[in-house]
C-alpha cells in the first residue's frame, strides 16, 4: 500500500527550521531524510522513517510553494494564502537570501549572466555546495541585481526596501551588486586569501566614497524612480572622480614632489617602524604603485584589476619585506597625511577621497 | 423593494500578467447580482489597478438578497479579442441581512479561478440598506441568524429551543448536463459553484422561514451538506435546531465566560427524574423495533407530518412501575407530561446540538442510528424533491421509534450523512436518545418547574447517566448497577453517546480518542443486486465496529464514549467503517472489567501458554493505559454499592462471528467469574489478528492527547496557541490477493500512520491536545482509500495543570463533593465568590437528594447488551436478506446529559495567559473546529461562512502532482475563508468544518479535480488579557478549597 497523496495544511503554515535549512542547502528529499535520521530525531520523538519521509516531503512542498513569493519578499508579507507570523516571515526571507562564503567568493565580480550560470556545476564541485543551492544563490544575486541596478539612492537601502533583508545582509548584497556591476576581478589565485568579508568591506567604502552618491547630491532617501538619465547613484564609480584621479599622477611623475613626499614620510616614521630600511628603499615603488592605480582607473580593464593591482603593487611587496600590520598602518597614515604638506600639490581633496578609502581597504586586505 | 445592495470596487493587487508583451494587465471588473451587471472602467497597464469605482447600486427583493451571491469578475480588457477572465469572487451577503451581525463587508478578497487558483486580490466594499417589510406572506426570512456551532453561541442565551428544522433542494448537476460537452471546464466549474451557492442560499432562506413559523429567531447547529449524486442530480440538504436566542447584554458578554451561564444555571430547575422508569409498558427491545425495508425510490411519496401520531414518543402510561424510586412524585409526572406535550407537537423531536444549557438534558438513553441503502434515480422534477424527502423522513421515523424504545422522547447530537458510489447511496442518521427538560422547549413551564427545585436535587455529575427506561422492561438486555456517584439510581455499565461530554459530568483522569476501523470486500454488482449486497454487509460491519469500540474502550480502562460518529463508506468493491469517539472514565459508572482471553482448544499446552501470554500482554496494556490516562478510581467495597439487583441475572454472552463470512455466533457464558471480565475468544486466526490489532494501536507520544470532542476531559488549563489543520492521505491498495484481513491491516496502518505523522508534525506544541479530531473516509476509486482529517491542536500548560484526579473516598457525599470541585473549577476560577457559590448550589442539591433506584452489578452484562442484540439481529437478518433493503439501527447505550455547553468552561481558564496578536500586514484570522477560542472571549457573531470551491487542473505534473495540487488548493480555501472573515470585520472562524473534500484524479491525462465545501461561524474575539477584567482573577488553588468546603456544608 503506497500513499499516492499525503498532505498536511495548517491554518498557520508550519515551518521547520531544520528542514528549511536542508532545503536551502539543496538536498533532495531522500538525502534530507537521511540527514535527519542521522541527527537522531527518530530516537528523540519515537517517529518512524515513514513519518519522517512524509514530514520532509510536506515541508519541501510548502517551501516550493513559498519560493515564488520569496522571490519578491514584499509579496510574502501581503499574500493571503499562507498565514505565517511576521517573525517567521522574516526568518524565511533572511535564510533564503543568505549565501555561502565559499560560493560568493567564486562568483563575486563575475557577470551575473547565463554564461556564469553554466559554470555553476564547476563551482558546485569546487565548493562542495550543492548545485541546487548554487543556483538559488546565483539567482538571488541576479534578482537583487536586476531590481536595484537602475535605482537611485542608497544601494543597501534599496535592497533592504525591496527584499526586506536585515541590515547586515542588505549591505552584503550591496557589495555583491557593486562587485558584479564593476566586474572587479577577485578570482585570481593571489586574491584567494581575501575573504568575502574583506571584499565587502572594501566595496562598502568604495560605495560610500567613490560613487556619485557619495558627493551628496542624491536625495537622502531612495526614490525608486526608473527614469535615471543621470548616473546611477551607488552602483557605478563616479566617472568624474576617476577622471580627476589622473591629476594625482604628478605625485610620482614630478621627481621633486616624489622626493619631498618620501623625505616627509621617512622623517616622520624614523625609529617607529621595525622595517624602516625596507620602507625607505621601497618608498618610490610603493608610491608609484598606489598613484598609478589611481590614474589608470578611467580604463574599465584597470578598474576590474583594482584588487589584483593593490595586491601586486602594494601588499605583496610589503609582505615580502615582512611588514607588520602596524607598520603598514603607520606608513599609510603618514603617506597620505604628508601629501597635505606638499605645497606644490593642489588636489588635496581628491587625494583624500582616494586615499582614505584605499588606506582602509589595504589595511583590511593586509593579512595572510 | 425591500433592499438596496451597494458595491464599490476599490483596487486590485498582485494581478497576474495577462499581456505577455508588456508584462502588464488592463484590468476591469464586472459586478453582478441577480440579472444586473455593472462594470468598472478599464485600468490600463497595471498589476495593481486602482479603480476606485462609484457605488454600484442593486435594488432587489430580500428574497434575492438571501438566495443570490454577489458575483465579482475581474477581466483583462482586450481590444481585438474576447476579454480574458482573470478570476472571480463570490460574496455571500447574508451576514449583512441581520442587524446584530456585520454591517459592512470590506476588505481584500483573493481572486479565484477554478483552473489557476488564486490570482491576485481585489478590494471590495459591500453594504446593504434594508427596508422594513410588513408583508406577512413574504418568502424571505431575513433576520434569522444561523450558527454552525452545535451549542448555544457564547454571547447568547437560549430562551426557547424549538427543535428540528430540515430542508432539501435538488437540481440537475451542471457537470452532467449536455451543455457540459461543449463548454470549457472553467465554465462548467463556475456554473456548478454558482448553482450550489444559489441552492444553499435558497435552502437557508427556506429553513429561515420554517424557523419564523416556529417563532424562533435563530438556527443553531446548522449543518448543510451536498450530495453529488452524479447523473441523478445534486442535492443540497440542511438540518439544524431552531431556537429563540437572546443576546446577552454587552456587559454580560464581556464578563468572564462563565458568568452568565452559571447564573443561568442556578435558576434552572433540575428536573432530574429520580424515577425515570415511569412507563410500565416498557418499549420493546431494539431488535423488535427494527424495520427492514427497501423499495424502489420512486414508490415513496412525501409523508405528512400529521401521519406520525402513532409514533408519538411519549409513553402513555403513568409513573412508578415497580422500580425503587418513589420520591419522584407528581412533579415528575407533571414534568414528563410537559415535556411530552412540548415534544409531541413536533414531527421530529431532534436536536443537532451536542452541548446544552445547564439543566436541559435529563437522561441519556443511548445511541440510536439508522441506515438505509437506496438506489439513486434521476430527479425528474427539481421543484418536488419528494423522493429524497421521503427517504429522510423514513430514516427519521426510524430514529424516532428507536428513541422511544429506549424510553426517551428526544434525540440529541443528531446528524445525518450519506455515502454515494455510482447509483447506490447509503443514508445514515444517528443521535443520542435522551430525556429533556421541558424548560427550554416551550414557554410557560418555567415557573412550575422552578417550584420543584427544592425537591429535585441530585448530583449534577451523574444524573445524565441514569437510565431513562424501565428496568424491568429494558429495551435490550443491559447490565445495571447503582450509580457510583449517588448510589440511588441505576446506571448502565457502559455508555455510548454522540454528544459532547456534559460539563458537569465527573470523570477520572483524561480521555482519549478511540477508533474502530473496518473494511469489508464486496463483489462488484449493479443496481439492486449491489444494494442488497451492501444491505447484507451492513449489520456485520456495525457489529464488528461495536466490538472493536468496546474492546478498545476496555483496553483503555474506560467506561463511556462521547462524540461517537460511525461512518460507513461505500465503494465499488468494498465497504469501509470508521468509528471515532472519545473514551472517558465516568465516575458514575462502574469500573470496567478487564479483557479475558479464552482459547477454543484448551488441551493443547503450548496453545495455553500462548493464550496466557496474550492475556498478560493485554493486562499490561490496560495497566499502562490506566497510568497513562491517570485513571485511578477508588476500590469500592461491594456493600457500599448496595444490594445486588433482585432480578434474575441475565446470561451474558459474548458473540463473535467465527469467520468473516459466516454468521454463526458463539455464545459464551460469562456469568461465572465474580469479576466482570470481557472475554475475547480466540478461535481462529482472525480472532488472533483482532487481538493483535487491538494491541497495535500505539498511544500518542508523551505530552500529546487526542479526542474528537470539543474539549479533552481532564485537561482544562488551555493556553492560547491553536493550530487548525487538514491532512489528507490517499492510499492505493495493491490489488493482489486482497482479503478482508490485509484490507483491515492496510486501513488500520493508514489511520495510525496518519495520526503518528500529526503527532510528529505538531511536536513543537507539546504539551498539547488534538481536539475535535474528525476523520472522514472516502473511496474515490477501486483501489484508492482517501482519509481526510481536520482537527485543532491546542497547547495547555502542564505546570499550572489543575489537579484533576482526585482520590475518591468511599462515602458518596464526599466523593461527590470532590467531583464537584473538579467540574466547577472553571466557575471558581472566574467568578467572584458570590457567583461561585451560586454556581455550586444546583450540584449540591443533586448530590443530597439523589433518589434511589435499583442498581445492577456486573460489567459484562452491558457489554453483552450489544452483542446479544446483535446476534439476534444477525440471525434475523439472514432471513431478511431476501428483502431488498434494510435499515439498520441500533439503540444501544444510554446517556443523559444535563449540562451547559462544554466550551465556555474551558474558555474561561486562560485569560491571563493569552499572547498578544502578532502585528502583520495581513490580519491574523484563527480557524478552529471548536466553538470557542482558548484564552479569548467571543464578543460577536458575524454570520455564517459557507463556501464551496472547485479546482481543476490539466497540468497536474507541473503543479507538483496530486499532493502539490491538493496542498495548494486547501491552502487557498483557508485563505479565502480567512479573507471573507476579515472582510466581515472578524478575526476568527469557530465551529469550522470541512464538510466535503472530493478529490478525483486522472494522472494519465495529467488532470485532477477537487471539490471542497467548508463552513463555520465568523466571529470577533478579544483576548482575555486585553479585556479589562471586571472581576478580580481568582487563582484556582486558593479559591477552590473554600468554595468546595462551603459546598459540602450546605
Amino acid at each position: 500500500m503506497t500513499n499516492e497523496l499525503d498532505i498536511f495544511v495548517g491554518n498557520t503554515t508550519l515551518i521547520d527550521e531544520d528542514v528549511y535549512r536542508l532545503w536551502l542547502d539543496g538536498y533532495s528529499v531522500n538525502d534530507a531524510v537521511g540527514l535527519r535520521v542521522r541527527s537522531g530525531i527518530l530516537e528523540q520523538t519515537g517517529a518512524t522513517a515513514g513519518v519522517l519521509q512524509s514530514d520532509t516531503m510536506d515541508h519541501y512542498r510548502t517551501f516550493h510553494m513559498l519560493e515564488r513569493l520569496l522571490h519578491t519578499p514584499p509579496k510574502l508579507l501581503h499574500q493571503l494564502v499562507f498565514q505565517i507570523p511576521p517573525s517567521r516571515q522574516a526568518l524565511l526571507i533572511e535564510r533564503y537570501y543568505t549565501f555561502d562564503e565559499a560560493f560568493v567568493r567564486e562568483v563575486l565580480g563575475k557577470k551575473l549572466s547565463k554564461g556564469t550560470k553554466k559554470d555553476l556545476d564547476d563551482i558546485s564541485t569546487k565548493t562542495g555546495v550543492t548545485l541546487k543551492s548554487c543556483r538559488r544563490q546565483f539567482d538571488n544575486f541576479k534578482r537583487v541585481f536586476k531590481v536595484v541596478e537602475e535605482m537611485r539612492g542608497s544601494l543597501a537601502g534599496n535592497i533592504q526596501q525591496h527584499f526586506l533583508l536585515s541590515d547586515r545582509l542588505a549591505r552584503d548584497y550591496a557589495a555583491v551588486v557593486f562587485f558584479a556591476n564593476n566586474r572587479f576581478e577577485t578570482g585570481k589565485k593571489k586574491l584567494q586569501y581575501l575573504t568575502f568579508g574583506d571584499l565587502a568591506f572594501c566595496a562598502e567604502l568604495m560605495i560610500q566614497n567613490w560613487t556619485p552618491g557619495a558627493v551628496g547630491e542624491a536625495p537622502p532617501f531612495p526614490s525608486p524612480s526608473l527614469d535615471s538619465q543621470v548616473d546611477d547613484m551607488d552602483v557605478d564609480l563616479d566617472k568624474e572622480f576617476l577622471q580627476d584621479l589622473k591629476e594625482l599622477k604628478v605625485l610620482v611623475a614630478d621627481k621633486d614632489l616624489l622626493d619631498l613626499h618620501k623625505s616627509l614620510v621617512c622623517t616622520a616614521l624614523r625609529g617607529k617602524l621595525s622595517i624602516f630600511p625596507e620602507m625607505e628603499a621601497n618608498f618610490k615603488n610603493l608610491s608609484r604603485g598606489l598613484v598609478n592605480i589611481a590614474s589608470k582607473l578611467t580604463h574599465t580593464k584597470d578598474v576590474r584589476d583594482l584588487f589584483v593591482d593593490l595586491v601586486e603593487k602594494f601588499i605583496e611587496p610589503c609582505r615580502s619585506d615582512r611588514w607588520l600590520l602596524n607598520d603598514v598602518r603607520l606608513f599609510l597614515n603618514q603617506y597620505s597625511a604628508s601629501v597635505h604638506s606638499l605645497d606644490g600639490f593642489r588636489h588635496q581633496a581628491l587625494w583624500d577621497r582616494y586615499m582614505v578609502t584605499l588606506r582602509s581597504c589595504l589595511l583590511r586586505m593586509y593579512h595572510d | 423593494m425591500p433592499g438596496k445592495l451597494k458595491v464599490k470596487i476599490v483596487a486590485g493587487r498582485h494581478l497576474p500578467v495577462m499581456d505577455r508583451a508588456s508584462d502588464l494587465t488592463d484590468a476591469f471588473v464586472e459586478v453582478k447580482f441577480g440579472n444586473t451587471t455593472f462594470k468598472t472602467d478599464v485600468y490600463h497597464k497595471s498589476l495593481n489597478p486602482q479603480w476606485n469605482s462609484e457605488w454600484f447600486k442593486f435594488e432587489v427583493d430580500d428574497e434575492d438578497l438571501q438566495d443570490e451571491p454577489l458575483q465579482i469578475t475581474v477581466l483583462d480588457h482586450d481590444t481585438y479579442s474576447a476579454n480574458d477572465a482573470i478570476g472571480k469572487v463570490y460574496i455571500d451577503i447574508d451576514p449583512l441581512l441581520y442587524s446584530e451581525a456585520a454591517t459592512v463587508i470590506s476588505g481584500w478578497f483573493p481572486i479565484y479561478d477554478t483552473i489557476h487558483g488564486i490570482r491576485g486580490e481585489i478590494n471590495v466594499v459591500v453594504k446593504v440598506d434594508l427596508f422594513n417589510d410588513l408583508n406577512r406572506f413574504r418568502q424571505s426570512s431575513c433576520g434569522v441568524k444561523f450558527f454552525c456551532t452545535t451549542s448555544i453561541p457564547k454571547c447568547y442565551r437560549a430562551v426557547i429551543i424549538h427543535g428540528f428544522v430540515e430542508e432539501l433542494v435538488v437540481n440537475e448537476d451542471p457537470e452532467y448536463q449536455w451543455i457540459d460537452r461543449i463548454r470549457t471546464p472553467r465554465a462548467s466549474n463556475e456554473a456548478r459553484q454558482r448553482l450550489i451557492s444559489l441552492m444553499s442560499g435558497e435552502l437557508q432562506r427556506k429553513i429561515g422561514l420554517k424557523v419564523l413559523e416556529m417563532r424562533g429567531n435563530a438556527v443553531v447547529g446548522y449543518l448543510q451538506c451536498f450530495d453529488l449524486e452524479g447523473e441523478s442530480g445534486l442535492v443540497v440538504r440542511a438540518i439544524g435546531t431552531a431556537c429563540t436566542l437572546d443576546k446577552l447584554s454587552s456587559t454580560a458578554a464581556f464578563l468572564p465566560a462563565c458568568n452568565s451561564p452559571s447564573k443561568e444555571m442556578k435558576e434552572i430547575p433540575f428536573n432530574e427524574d429520580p424515577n425515570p422508569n415511569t412507563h410500565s409498558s416498557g418499549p420493546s427491545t431494539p431488535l423488535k423495533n427494527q424495520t427492514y425495508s427497501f423499495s424502489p425510490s420512486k414508490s415513496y411519496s412525501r409523508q405528512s407530518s400529521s401521519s406520525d401520531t402513532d409514533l408519538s414518543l411519549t409513553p402513555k402510561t403513568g409513573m412508578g412501575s415497580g422500580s425503587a424510586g418513589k420520591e419522584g412524585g407528581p412533579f415528575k409526572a407533571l414534568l414528563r407530561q410537559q415535556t411530552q406535550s412540548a415534544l409531541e407537537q413536533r414531527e421530529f423531536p431532534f436536536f443537532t446540538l451536542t452541548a446544552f444549557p445547564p439543566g436541559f438534558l435529563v437522561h441519556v438513553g443511548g445511541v440510536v442510528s439508522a441506515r438505509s441503502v437506496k438506489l439513486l434515480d434521476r430527479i425528474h422534477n427539481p421543484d418536488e424533491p419528494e423522493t429524497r424527502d421521503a427517504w429522510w423522513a423514513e430514516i427519521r421515523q426510524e430514529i424516532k421509534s428507536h428513541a422511544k424504545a429506549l424510553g426517551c422522547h428526544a434525540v440529541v447530537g443528531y446528524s445525518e450523512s450519506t455515502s454515494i458510489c455510482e447509483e447506490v447511496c447509503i443514508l445514515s442518521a444517528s443521535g443520542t436518545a435522551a430525556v429533556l427538560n421541558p424548560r427550554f422547549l416551550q414557554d410557560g413551564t418555567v415557573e412550575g418547574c422552578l417550584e420543584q427545585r427544592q425537591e429535585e436535587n441530585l448530583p449534577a455529575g451523574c444524573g445524565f447517566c441514569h437510565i431513562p427506561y424501565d428496568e424491568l422492561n429494558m429495551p435490550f438486555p443491559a447490565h445495571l448497577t447503582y450509580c457510583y456517584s449517588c448510589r440511588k439510581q441505576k446506571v448502565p455499565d457502559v455508555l455510548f453517546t454522540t454528544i459532547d461530554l456534559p460539563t458537569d459530568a465527573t470523570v477520572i483522569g483524561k480521555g482519549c480518542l478511540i477508533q474502530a476501523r473496518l473494511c469489508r470486500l464486496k463483489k462488484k454488482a449493479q443496481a439492486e443486486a449491489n444494494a442488497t449486497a451492501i444491505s447484507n454487509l451492513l449489520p456485520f460491519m456495525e457489529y464488528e465496529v461495536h466490538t472493536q469500540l468496546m474492546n478498545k474502550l476496555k483496553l483503555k480502562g474506560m467506561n463511556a464514549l462521547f462524540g461517537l460518529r460511525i461512518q460507513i463508506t461505500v465503494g465499488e468493491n468494498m465497504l469501509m467503517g470508521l468509528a471515532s469517539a472519545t473514551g472517558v472514565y465516568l465516575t458514575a459508572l462502574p469500573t470496567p472489567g478487564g479483557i479475558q482471553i479464552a482459547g477454543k482448544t484448551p488441551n493443547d499446552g503450548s496453545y495455553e501458554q500462548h493464550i496466557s501470554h496474550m492475556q498478560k500482554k493485554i493486562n499490561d496494556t490496560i495497566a499502562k493505559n490506566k497510568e497513562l490516562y491517570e485513571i485511578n478510581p477508588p476500590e469500592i467495597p461491594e456493600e457500599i454499592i448496595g444490594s445486588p439487583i433482585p432480578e434474575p441475572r441475565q446470561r451474558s454472552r459474548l458473540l463473535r462471528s467465527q469467520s468473516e463470512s459466516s454468521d454463526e455466533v458463539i455464545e459464551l457464558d460469562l456469568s461465572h467469574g465474580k469479576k466482570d471480565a470481557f472475554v475475547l475468544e480466540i478461535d481462529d486466526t482472525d480472532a488472533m489478528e483482532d487481538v493483535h490489532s487491538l494491541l497495535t494501536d500505539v498511544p500518542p507520544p508523551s505530552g500529546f492527547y487526542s479526542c474528537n470532542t470539543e474539549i479533552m476531559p481532564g485537561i482544562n488549563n488551555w493556553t492560547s496557541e491553536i493550530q487548525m489543520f487538514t491532512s489528507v492521505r490517499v492510499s492505493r491498495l495493491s490489488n493482489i490477493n486482497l482479503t478482508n484481513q490485509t484490507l483491515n491491516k492496510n486501513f488500520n496502518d493508514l489511520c495510525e500512520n496518519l495520526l503518528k505523522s500529526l503527532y510528529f508534525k505538531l511536536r513543537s506544541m507539546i504539551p498539547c491536545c488534538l481536539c475535535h479530531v474528525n476523520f472522514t473516509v472516502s473511496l474515490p476509486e477501486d483501489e484508492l482509500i482517501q482519509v481526510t482529517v481536520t482537527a485543532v491542536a491546542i497547547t495547555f500548560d502542564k505546570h499550572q495543570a489543575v489537579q484533576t484526579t482526585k482520590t475518591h473516598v468511599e462515602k458518596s457525599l464526599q466523593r461527590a463533593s470532590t467531583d464537584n470541585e473538579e467540574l466547577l473549577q472553571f466557575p471558581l476560577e472566574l467568578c467572584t465568590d458570590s457567583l461561585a457559590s451560586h454556581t455550586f448550589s444546583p450540584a449540591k442539591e443533586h448530590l443530597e437528594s439523589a433518589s434511589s433506584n435499583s442498581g445492577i452489578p456486573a460489567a459484562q452484562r452491558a457489554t453483552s447488551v450489544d452483542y446479544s442484540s446483535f446476534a439476534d439481529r444477525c440471525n434475523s437478518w439472514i432471513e431478511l436478506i431476501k428483502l431488498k433493503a434494510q435499515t439498520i439501527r441500533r439503540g444501544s447505550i444510554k446517556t443523559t446529559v444535563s449540562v451547559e455547553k462544554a466550551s465556555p468552561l474551558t474558555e474561561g481558564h486562560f485569560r491571563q495567559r493569552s499572547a498578544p496578536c502578532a502585528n502583520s500586514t495581513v490580519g491574523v484570522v484563527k480557524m478552529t473546529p471548536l466553538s470557542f477560542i482558548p484564552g479569548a472571549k467571543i464578543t460577536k457573531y458575524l454570520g455564517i461562512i459557507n463556501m464551496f470551491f472547485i479546482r481543476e487542473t490539466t497540468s497536474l505534473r507541473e503543479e507538483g502532482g496530486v499532493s502539490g495540487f491538493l496542498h495548494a488548493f486547501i491552502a487557498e480555501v483557508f485563505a479565502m475563508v480567512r479573507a471573507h472573515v476579515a472582510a466581515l470585520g472578524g478575526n476568527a472562524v469557530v465551529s469550522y468544518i470541512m464538510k466535503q473534500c472530493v478529490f478525483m484524479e486522472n494522472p494519465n491525462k495529467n488532470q485532477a479535480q477537487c471539490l471542497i465545501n467548508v463552513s463555520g461561524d465568523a466571529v470577533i474575539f478579544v483576548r482575555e488579557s486585553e479585556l479589562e477584567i471586571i472581576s478580580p482573577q481568582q487563582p484556582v488553588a486558593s479559591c477552590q478549597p473554600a468554595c468546595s468546603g462551603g459546598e459540602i456544608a450546605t
Side-chain angles (χ1 to χ4, degrees), chain B residues 119 336 353 425 434 473 605 612 908:
Chain B
R119 308 170 94 189
R336 189 165 283 275
L353 304 180
C425 173
N473 281 298
S612 68

Side-chain angles (χ1 to χ4, degrees), chain B residues 920-989:
Chain B
S920 163
T921 40
V922 179
V924 172
V925 175
K926 300 223 172 201
M927 292 169 76
T928 171
L930 308 180
S931 65
F932 68 100
I933 291 171
K937 175 104 200 71
I938 292 171
T939 54
K940 195 172 183 186
Y941 281 80
L942 299 166
I944 198 168
I945 296 280
N946 188 7
M947 300 169 91
F948 177 81
F949 298 103
I950 302 177
R951 179 86 155 77
E952 186 166 348
T953 184
T954 49
S955 50
L956 189 58
R957 273 186 296 277
E958 295 77 358
E959 294 193 32
V962 286
S963 294
F965 171 72
L966 193 60
H967 191 146
F969 183 38
I970 292 178
E972 286 177 341
V973 168
F974 286 1
M976 288 185 277
V977 170
R978 288 193 301 257
H980 278 78
V981 172
L984 286 168
N987 55 6
V989 190

Side-chain angles (χ1 to χ4, degrees), chain A residues 1-14 16 18 36 41 45 47-48 50-52 54-56 58-59 61-62 65 74-75 77-86 89, chain B residues 13-14 110 118 121 723-733 746 750 757-758 760-761 763 918-922 924-927 962-964 966-968 970-971 974-975 978 999 1001:
Chain A
M1 183 155 98
T2 48
N3 282 341
E4 289 228 322
L5 185 158
D6 179 1
I7 58 161
F8 174 99
V9 191
N11 183 37
T12 303
T13 306
L14 279 186
D16 185 310
D18 297 333
R36 294 182 82 187
I41 196 166
T45 58
T48 62
V51 166
L52 203 60
S54 143
D55 179 66
T56 312
D58 215 70
H59 283 299
R61 202 164 38 241
T62 308
M65 285 190 266
K75 267 195 192 163
L77 262 65
H78 291 102
Q79 53 84 31
L80 302 175
V81 178
F82 301 96
Q83 186 159 272
I84 305 171
Q89 287 178 345
Chain B
R13 68 182 182 196
H14 304 156
I118 290 178
E121 290 121 37
Q723 166 70 290
M724 187 282 295
F725 59 85
T726 292
S727 186
V728 185
R729 278 197 185 180
V730 177
S731 260
R732 184 174 291 279
L733 301 162
N746 282 337
L750 177 61
S757 271
L758 298 181
F760 180 76
K761 280 205 170 288
R763 65 192 185 283
N919 274 329
S920 163
T921 40
V922 179
V924 172
V925 175
K926 300 223 172 201
M927 292 169 76
V962 286
S963 294
L966 193 60
H967 191 146
I970 292 178
F974 286 1
R978 288 193 301 257
F999 177 73
E1001 57 169 326

Side-chain angles (χ1 to χ4, degrees), chain B residues 62-107:
Chain B
D62 48 3
E63 188 180 336
D64 285 340
L65 280 174
Q66 285 192 297
D67 288 5
E68 293 269 349
L70 175 66
Q71 184 181 320
I72 293 167
T73 312
V74 185
L75 298 113
D76 177 54
H77 176 74
D78 203 322
T79 320
Y80 304 106
S81 59
N83 298 326
D84 295 323
I86 295 173
K88 282 185 168 44
V89 179
Y90 292 97
I91 301 178
D92 179 10
I93 48 170
D94 213 49
L96 294 178
L97 301 183
Y98 38 93
S99 51
E100 286 156 37
T103 53
V104 63
I105 298 177
S106 167

Side-chain angles (χ1 to χ4, degrees), chain B residues 563-602:
Chain B
L564 175 64
R565 187 167 160 266
I566 302 176
Q567 191 195 358
I568 304 266
T569 309
V570 57
E572 286 274 280
N573 56 353
M574 63 177 103
L575 284 175
M576 306 282 258
L578 179 66
S580 305
T582 301
V584 295
Y585 185 102
L586 284 175
T587 48
L589 301 191
T591 313
I595 298 178
Q596 219 173 68
I597 296 192
K600 199 79 191 290
T601 47

Side-chain angles (χ1 to χ4, degrees), chain B residues 406-636:
Chain B
L406 287 169
C408 295
H409 54 230
V411 176
V412 294
Y414 180 74
S415 66
E416 295 176 346
S417 63
T418 58
S419 171
I420 297 171
C421 179
E422 303 293 315
E423 76 276 84
V424 175
C425 173
I426 302 182
L427 309 185
S428 310
S430 74
T432 304
V435 175
L436 302 179
N437 184 331
R439 151 80 168 77
F440 289 96
L441 302 175
Q442 63 190 55
D443 282 322
T445 56
V446 182
E447 281 72 17
C449 294
L450 277 172
E451 289 165 20
Q452 305 170 39
R453 196 174 147 218
Q454 296 308 331
E455 297 134 272
E456 306 260 3
N457 30 22
L458 280 171
C462 64
F464 75 91
C465 304
H466 302 160
I467 54 167
Y469 39 82
D470 186 348
E471 186 187 324
L472 295 179
N473 281 298
M474 284 192 294
F476 44 82
H479 181 211
L480 306 178
T481 44
Y482 282 109
C483 172
Y484 276 51
S485 274
C486 66
R487 309 271 181 228
K488 291 175 181 162
Q489 300 252 16
K490 296 265 180 86
V491 293
D493 63 346
V494 184
L495 200 56
F496 285 13
T497 74
T498 58
I499 56 173
D500 274 348
L501 183 70
T503 40
D504 60 353
T506 56
V507 297
I508 294 176
K510 297 191 166 64
C512 73
L513 180 70
I514 291 180
Q515 284 195 322
R517 305 157 187 141
L518 188 69
C519 305
R520 282 290 172 272
L521 288 169
K522 159 185 97 63
K523 288 218 171 65
K524 283 191 186 180
Q526 294 298 313
E528 292 199 4
N530 196 16
T532 311
I534 293 168
S535 303
N536 293 344
L537 272 172
L538 282 177
F540 293 100
M541 294 199 60
E542 296 235 26
Y543 166 65
E544 284 283 326
V545 163
H546 259 251
T547 314
Q548 266 192 42
L549 280 176
M550 194 64 85
N551 286 342
K552 288 186 178 179
L553 187 66
K554 299 265 170 200
L555 203 62
K556 296 279 194 293
M558 298 177 185
N559 58 18
L561 287 181
F562 287 88
L564 175 64
R565 187 167 160 266
I566 302 176
Q567 191 195 358
I568 304 266
T569 309
V570 57
E572 286 274 280
N573 56 353
M574 63 177 103
L575 284 175
M576 306 282 258
L578 179 66
S580 305
T582 301
V584 295
Y585 185 102
L586 284 175
T587 48
L589 301 191
T591 313
I595 298 178
Q596 219 173 68
I597 296 192
K600 199 79 191 290
T601 47
N603 317 331
D604 192 343
S606 65
Y607 190 70
E608 283 284 286
Q609 205 176 358
H610 180 71
I611 295 287
S612 68
H613 177 66
M614 299 279 280
Q615 181 69 59
K616 187 173 175 302
K617 257 170 91 175
I618 286 186
N619 292 346
D620 288 352
T621 314
I622 294 179
K624 235 168 49 196
N625 280 330
K626 281 188 174 176
E627 196 179 319
L628 181 65
Y629 299 107
E630 298 161 26
I631 299 166
N632 45 0
E635 283 299 323
I636 301 163

